[in-house]
Amino acid sequence: MVLALSISERLTRARGDLRMGVPVVLCGPGGAALIAAVETLDAARLAVLRGFGTPVLAITARRAETLKARAYDGDLARIVPPLDADLGWLRSVADPADDLRTPMKGPLQSIRDGTADLARAALALAKSAHLLPAAVLVPVEQALSLAGAHGLTLLSLDEIAPALNAMPPMDRVVSARVPLMAASAGRVHVFRPDDGGEEHYAIEIGRPDRSQPVLARVHSACFTGDVLGSLKCDCGPQLHAALAQMGEEGAGVLLYLNQEGRGIGLANKLRAYSLQDQGFDTVEANHRLGFEDDERDFRIGAEILRKMGFSAVRLMTNNPRKLAMMESCGVHVTERVPLRVGQTAENRAYLATKVAKSGHLP
């Protein structure tokens, strides 16, 4: 009997710790560090962290570019905070909300010596926890005893490096008949990753023939568009149009993946919306926050399709990345089915940006 946590379970625990503002201990060949997410860190814990040593602030190269900071480590920058830097200063560097009001954060001093492996892992953890990608690191000694004394999660780089990029196996939890407006013969399947992460759903219309390419849509959750009917995107209309077409044809599968805001989470998506109100387009807003254009993992969709017995699809999408990912994951795309609905005066610029900067097909 195994009671010890697996590495994927410990990663999930670490994400939860960071979301609560609790530090995590990371160790690697170059040493160890206490890490904390800037977004959830409070002043009291920051003071305790300072008691262990001088903190370093890690931000992504995207955020560093906005702040005109040197990213000597390529994909990230390690910033030396001023001696009098408080929590407000750290958050002003991490969060672009007030960039236009107070554009001068520095000059920021970047570290160029030593390894950035711990900082890189810290940022990956913050991203996967749907927090702003900014982390405080404080080098420490005797990581194991420190973690044990304070009840902190301890992670080693050699363990988490493969797990951070791996997709956890999906288990089908339950399925049930759900009559829909688009089709009375609807069935909803719930899939859960074995690391305890967010569940994903498959809406099956009719009884698709597993030996034939199925009409499929990989749809990322959009609370504002799907639920509230936001006019800033075309997600809601795409969701309903895809289900309607599947209902008309009598068969299809819509995968509803919990990857809100192109994988950055609802809070960060709303931060991006606020930046768009300041005049930045959707890609620029993501970059100012420290994210890439698209942080989603489309491998999840391919895995669910395979679990359901499908090996070929007619994919409803305007995004070439979805086509390429399906093929690379062993799900053959026999046809791209365009999905052009939902353009409004409010989202016209957003849709144009997706074509011009994100490679979407017009």
Side-chain angles (χ1 to χ4, degrees), residues 26-105:
L26 277 181
C27 57
L34 279 163
I35 68 164
V38 172
E39 179 178 345
T40 53
L41 184 63
D42 61 29
R45 276 208 169 97
L46 176 59
V48 173
L49 289 176
R50 286 186 184 276
F52 285 93
T54 303
V56 171
L57 175 61
I59 57 176
T60 67
R62 291 294 191 186
R63 183 67 181 138
E65 182 180 14
T66 294
L67 299 173
K68 303 296 187 287
R70 298 280 189 178
Y72 293 118
D73 301 310
D75 56 341
L76 64 94
R78 290 171 291 150
I79 306 296
V80 180
L83 292 177
D84 60 347
D86 59 8
L87 189 59
W89 185 89
L90 293 173
R91 287 184 175 167
S92 73
V93 175
D95 189 342
D98 292 327
D99 278 358
L100 295 187
R101 185 170 61 85
T102 56
M104 295 301 295
K105 313 290 186 189

Side-chain angles (χ1 to χ4, degrees), residues 177-346:
R177 186 179 68 86
V178 181
L180 306 172
M181 291 183 63
S184 59
R187 194 167 193 84
V188 176
H189 308 261
V190 176
F191 289 83
R192 181 182 297 155
D194 72 353
D195 66 353
E198 291 175 300
E199 295 170 348
H200 306 282
Y201 319 122
I203 297 92
E204 186 174 7
I205 302 299
R207 295 183 177 276
D209 184 349
R210 265 60 175 175
S211 67
Q212 298 296 320
V214 64
L215 181 63
R217 163 78 180 159
V218 179
H219 188 90
S220 297
C222 179
F223 172 74
T224 50
D226 299 341
V227 179
L228 302 182
S230 168
L231 301 178
K232 287 179 69 70
C233 65
D234 56 344
C235 301
Q238 284 189 330
L239 171 65
H240 296 294
L243 287 173
Q245 185 168 338
M246 292 173 188
E248 291 172 4
E249 295 194 13
V253 175
L254 185 139
L255 305 181
Y256 196 88
L257 307 185
N258 276 309
Q259 301 192 103
E260 182 83 41
R262 292 192 160 198
I264 66 176
L266 180 59
N268 287 319
K269 182 174 82 168
L270 294 180
R271 289 185 173 109
Y273 276 9
S274 294
L275 292 174
Q276 290 170 37
D277 289 340
Q278 295 179 23
F280 301 103
D281 65 36
T282 182
V283 171
E284 292 166 343
N286 273 25
H287 289 178
R288 293 186 78 86
L289 286 165
F291 294 102
E292 296 302 318
D293 304 10
D294 195 335
E295 299 275 356
R296 290 175 291 183
D297 188 349
F298 293 127
R299 296 177 300 175
I300 297 170
E303 173 71 7
I304 291 175
L305 285 169
R306 288 198 302 268
K307 287 277 187 182
M308 295 180 70
F310 297 105
S311 59
V313 294
R314 297 166 50 225
L315 193 62
M316 303 181 74
T317 186
N318 302 325
N319 187 349
R321 284 190 63 236
K322 291 183 181 180
L323 302 173
M325 182 57 72
M326 283 290 168
E327 291 285 355
S328 68
C329 292
V331 177
H332 181 46
V333 181
T334 63
E335 177 188 0
R336 181 185 78 88
V337 180
L339 191 58
R340 300 187 183 95
V341 292
Q343 180 169 304
T344 66
E346 290 83 359

Side-chain angles (χ1 to χ4, degrees), residues 3-18 23-27 125 128 144 147 152-160 163-164 194-196:
L3 293 178
L5 299 184
S6 69
I7 183 57
S8 63
E9 290 165 340
R10 286 161 53 209
L11 275 171
T12 298
R13 176 175 288 184
R15 294 182 185 106
D17 290 345
L18 293 179
V24 172
V25 181
L26 277 181
C27 57
L125 278 171
S128 64
L144 182 60
L152 301 179
T153 300
L154 174 68
L155 300 171
S156 63
L157 291 184
D158 60 342
E159 286 183 304
I160 68 172
L164 278 171
D194 72 353
D195 66 353

